[in-house]
Amino acid sequence: MDSTNITCPLISSSSSLQLLAAAHLLTPLIISNCHLVGSYPKDKSSYVYQQYEPEYDFIIVGAGSAGCTVANRLSEVANWRILLIEVGPDPPINSDIPSLFFSLFKSRYDWNYLTEPSNDSCLGFINNQCSWPRGKLLGGSSSMNYMLSVRGNPKDYDNWESEGNPGWAYKDVLKYFKKLERVRTPRLGDRHLHGYNGNVFIEDYTNKTIYDSKGMRDYITDYSVASGYPIVEDFDAHPQAGVTIVPGTLRNDVRWSAAKAYLEPIRNKNNLVVMKETFVTKILIDKNRRAYGVEVFKGGKYKKIYCKKEVIVSAGSINSPQLLMLSGVGPRDHLQDQGITVVRDLKVGYNLQDHVLVYGLAASIHGKGYEHGALSLNFIYEYLSNRVDLGVFLLDTMLFLNTTGNTFDYPNIQIYHIMFPRTSFPLSLFFLIFFYLYNFNLEISLENLKAIQLAPTLLIQPTLIRPKSRGRISLRSKNPFDHPKIVTGYLTAREDVDALIEAFRIFEGISETEAFKKYGKLSYTPVAECSTLIPLSNEYYECLLRHLGATVYHPVGTCKMGPSNDPDAVVNYDLKVHGIKGLRVVDASIMPQVTSGNTNIPTIMIGEKASDLIKDDWL
């Protein structure tokens, strides 16, 4: 990597982890690890503001997983001038350390969204509100996510096509998955399924952690196999139900975000201009319903920027619908209530979907090799010097299962495993911060803390990956700087509740196997409101779900893709906004249904495919 103009910021001073390390002690190591910090395009905001009427061929709003991808691919056409606008700055160094992903939550790099208070879900969180971290930096949420590389299930994409979206079946999008991948994991060796020369490095997590992570991986695999689930070497092959090691978007144990994958290689291109820490307040649409530019705000000043061809909105499943509605594209009644002139009446903000992950199920770990208690404050030093990661988050070993029968090809539950080594004061404060960042109320935070002070704890988190429930994004006001309202809709569909209860039942059975009992004992997080119910009854499980169910950071669907005769559709299969010329949406918000697994790789795929659609139109 070219080190020219690379800066080496210390761990973010706005990060919640600032109390864990004296930055000046780490400075020599951080300087020696400059290659961790991406070399991104320079901020050209001042240059753009100095121009009288700046004009570009394409304006891309949002440098997240899709926006970075589209910027890269459109810049391949030398005579096109591309403007990429991002509201956040470059990622800090703690973004690149896998186990510190959550250190960006509730910092300047996070939108800091809270859902609307609910009586159906998030009941164990402060004010009945779940925290929804979303990336506010180059790379978007790919710079602060779990880094798991999961495409979903082929049937997901076939279903998209069956709803009137030609070209989105799995057989059509497979080439884009292969195009983006640079797989460096030997077990993923099927060249019909995988790519090896793409922009996104995909590797297995290593076992270089401060506790016996390999032993814990083996434990999870053993009890899954003992319960009748096969070992799945490649989740992108069939069958998909079973226990699998999920690779990450990593390069040599370092996060490989969309910004590193797609912006670093083009950082010196003359036809790409990047504006950072610049807020897009409105899409400019003329009386002929054609998008011709955007209005931006930075440093107390507004500026209009114009485009010849298209405005491409890649701001994510919350910000994309918000921006469309602020610009007059959205539900007529809602926009009129906010005092916004209606340009096009569309169901923007509806169809919100997310995977519901349930806390509260855990295994207290015993036996040689797991009583470490070795977690210490020098983990950042160990990572920078020896690549020994903190290893708290054992997220790559997963069990996929189906609660609706023995079908192994289309699982509906994904079980995450997170490992907390046994700890004591003052490191318990570290974990208290962790629970705070998730917005747990104090009572539940202290119960979790108590458990990990007594023994190493493996959190077992069933996640519903094909939810029926739907929520909505709506405007709080016509002020673009006000956060929109997020109504999750979690657990409003009875089928979702029943599926998660069945997942708990399945894990009851797993916990009775000798393979599980060898090192673990199943336990449940005490919840006061559930204590009067019959333990392990359906009512008890439902109470846990409603108190401890939360986001796994996969919101999608709020600018739904569908044909013009679909009353809920916002964009067509070319991702053009219905009834508006020169305007596309390219990000996870276009998904008709959420994919069966983590959404970062599918969102990059959307960016790759959209780039070809744009080129086909204009070349």
Side-chain angles (χ1 to χ4, degrees):
M1 181 184 297
D2 181 6
S3 60
T4 305
N5 297 321
I6 295 179
T7 57
C8 290
L10 294 178
I11 289 176
S12 165
S13 61
S14 60
S15 164
S16 301
L17 290 181
Q18 59 185 305
L19 56 88
L20 294 182
H24 68 277
L25 294 177
L26 295 172
T27 298
L29 272 174
I30 290 175
I31 291 173
S32 70
N33 278 269
C34 276
H35 60 282
L36 280 178
V37 184
S39 181
Y40 304 112
K42 292 180 179 179
D43 183 6
K44 296 290 184 66
S45 303
S46 298
Y47 163 76
V48 176
Y49 263 78
Q50 289 168 5
Q51 294 179 292
Y52 174 59
E53 289 188 344
E55 186 177 53
Y56 296 84
D57 289 292
F58 295 92
I59 298 174
I60 304 168
V61 181
S65 294
C68 290
T69 307
V70 174
N72 180 294
R73 297 308 184 196
L74 296 190
S75 75
E76 293 172 347
V77 183
N79 63 343
W80 283 352
R81 297 187 70 232
I82 316 299
L83 177 65
L84 175 64
I85 308 173
E86 169 56 40
V87 71
D90 292 348
I93 195 171
N94 40 322
S95 165
D96 290 334
I97 301 174
S99 283
L100 293 188
F101 71 92
F102 68 93
S103 70
L104 275 66
F105 294 0
K106 297 190 177 180
S107 75
R108 64 176 293 217
Y109 303 99
D110 179 10
W111 279 97
N112 293 305
Y113 289 125
L114 288 173
T115 64
E116 294 298 292
S118 171
N119 294 321
D120 296 308
S121 60
C122 303
L123 303 183
F125 297 78
I126 298 171
N127 197 33
N128 292 14
Q129 293 177 286
C130 281
S131 175
W132 269 26
R134 306 306 299 162
K136 193 178 183 181
L137 69 172
L138 287 188
S141 295
S142 76
S143 292
M144 58 185 290
N145 66 353
Y146 282 179
M147 296 159 283
L148 297 177
S149 175
V150 180
R151 293 178 183 173
N153 191 285
K155 290 185 179 181
D156 298 333
Y157 304 99
D158 293 343
N159 289 339
W160 291 8
E161 185 181 56
S162 71
E163 289 198 5
N165 299 299
W168 289 92
Y170 187 69
K171 64 180 175 58
D172 301 307
V173 301
L174 176 59
K175 67 178 181 180
Y176 293 109
F177 283 121
K178 293 171 67 175
K179 181 179 181 179
L180 71 89
E181 289 180 336
R182 183 171 298 196
V183 172
R184 302 207 301 185
T185 297
R187 62 190 174 83
L188 306 181
D190 188 337
R191 292 189 172 271
H192 296 291
L193 288 177
H194 293 289
Y196 305 91
N197 299 300
N199 290 61
V200 182
F201 281 85
I202 294 175
E203 302 176 352
D204 282 337
Y205 290 79
T206 70
N207 295 322
K208 291 170 65 176
T209 56
I210 63 170
Y211 69 95
D212 184 12
S213 58
K214 182 182 184 303
M216 191 53 60
R217 286 178 172 92
D218 292 343
Y219 172 55
I220 295 168
T221 300
D222 288 347
Y223 69 60
S224 298
V225 170
S227 304
Y229 295 98
I231 296 174
V232 178
E233 287 292 337
D234 184 352
F235 184 70
D236 294 320
H238 287 82
Q240 287 194 322
V243 62
T244 186
I245 302 294
V246 178
T249 50
L250 297 163
R251 185 181 185 185
N252 300 326
D253 296 313
V254 175
R255 174 190 298 275
W256 201 250
S257 68
K260 282 191 173 182
Y262 288 96
L263 294 188
E264 271 197 353
I266 60 172
R267 65 187 183 276
N268 296 320
K269 277 198 171 184
N270 293 326
N271 67 337
L272 174 70
V273 173
V274 178
M275 299 178 74
K276 304 176 188 178
E277 299 185 80
T278 303
F279 198 106
V280 179
T281 58
K282 189 177 183 180
I283 303 164
L284 305 176
I285 303 173
D286 65 23
K287 62 182 181 181
N288 296 316
R289 290 185 176 176
R290 178 175 183 82
Y292 64 94
V294 297
E295 178 185 78
V296 301
F297 178 83
K298 182 172 183 174
K301 296 180 181 180
Y302 288 90
K303 180 78 173 178
K304 290 183 178 179
I305 310 172
Y306 304 97
C307 70
K308 297 177 183 178
K309 293 181 170 63
E310 292 187 16
V311 175
I312 300 163
V313 181
S314 299
S317 294
I318 300 172
N319 297 91
S320 285
Q322 181 189 23
L323 181 58
L324 288 178
M325 288 187 283
L326 289 169
S327 307
V329 180
R332 180 179 298 279
D333 291 346
H334 178 54
L335 298 189
Q336 289 176 340
D337 288 344
Q338 299 295 335
I340 297 171
T341 300
V342 179
V343 176
R344 186 75 165 90
D345 181 13
L346 293 171
K347 294 290 283 290
V348 175
Y350 287 82
N351 194 47
L352 174 63
Q353 301 161 57
D354 188 19
H355 294 148
V356 180
L357 177 147
V358 184
Y359 297 87
L361 192 63
S364 298
I365 301 299
H366 56 81
K368 185 178 179 181
Y370 302 107
E371 288 286 349
H372 282 276
L375 185 58
S376 64
L377 290 174
N378 70 347
F379 67 84
I380 299 176
Y381 175 88
E382 287 294 331
Y383 179 82
L384 293 176
S385 58
N386 301 310
R387 286 293 180 273
V388 176
D389 200 6
L390 173 61
V392 175
F393 302 98
L394 181 60
L395 289 168
D396 63 345
T397 309
M398 296 188 180
L399 176 61
F400 287 83
L401 56 87
N402 199 325
T403 63
T404 59
N406 294 323
T407 303
F408 277 76
D409 66 339
Y410 205 18
N412 67 337
I413 296 290
Q414 179 178 5
I415 296 182
Y416 292 83
H417 300 88
I418 298 183
M419 182 67 190
F420 286 99
R422 180 175 57 84
T423 189
S424 59
F425 187 86
L427 263 296
S428 58
L429 294 177
F430 174 93
F431 293 108
L432 196 58
I433 291 171
F434 174 84
F435 298 127
Y436 159 75
L437 293 174
Y438 282 78
N439 214 47
F440 284 111
N441 65 34
L442 183 61
E443 177 187 7
I444 289 174
S445 296
L446 292 176
E447 289 291 350
N448 281 312
L449 193 61
K450 187 188 304 180
I452 63 177
Q453 287 176 328
L454 295 175
T457 301
L458 179 68
L459 297 187
I460 300 162
Q461 301 171 318
T463 305
L464 184 65
I465 54 177
R466 291 208 311 283
K468 302 293 184 183
S469 300
R470 297 292 184 266
R472 182 182 172 188
I473 302 292
S474 59
L475 296 177
R476 195 171 302 277
S477 76
K478 64 179 180 181
N479 182 347
F481 303 103
D482 282 348
H483 282 184
K485 293 180 179 180
I486 302 172
V487 176
T488 67
Y490 290 156
L491 305 178
T492 53
R494 187 67 216 177
E495 300 99 310
D496 293 353
V497 176
D498 292 341
L500 284 166
I501 289 174
E502 181 61 22
F504 272 72
R505 292 274 177 228
I506 290 171
F507 222 92
E508 272 186 58
I510 291 174
S511 70
E512 292 301 315
T513 63
E514 290 303 314
F516 187 93
K517 292 179 179 178
K518 183 177 181 180
Y519 293 120
K521 180 181 179 181
L522 195 64
S523 63
Y524 300 86
T525 299
V527 176
E529 291 81 357
C530 307
S531 61
T532 60
L533 301 173
I534 299 173
L536 311 189
S537 65
N538 284 356
E539 293 75 17
Y540 174 77
Y541 281 143
E542 183 170 345
C543 184
L544 288 184
L545 298 179
R546 296 196 183 278
H547 281 79
L548 301 176
T551 183
V552 71
Y553 320 116
H554 299 158
V556 308
T558 50
C559 298
K560 180 186 176 185
M561 175 173 60
S564 58
N565 61 0
D566 180 348
D568 297 326
V570 175
V571 302
N572 68 6
Y573 62 86
D574 283 336
L575 309 189
K576 298 175 182 177
V577 175
H578 286 296
I580 306 291
K581 302 181 185 71
L583 182 62
R584 293 189 210 232
V585 180
V586 181
D587 56 31
S589 70
I590 64 94
M591 294 185 185
Q593 299 94 29
V594 65
T595 53
S596 302
N598 307 71
T599 52
N600 182 48
I601 290 295
T603 303
I604 295 174
M605 178 278 291
I606 290 169
E608 289 279 12
K609 180 173 171 62
S611 300
D612 274 3
L613 294 173
I614 295 165
K615 289 177 179 178
D616 287 347
D617 274 358
W618 292 102
L619 295 178

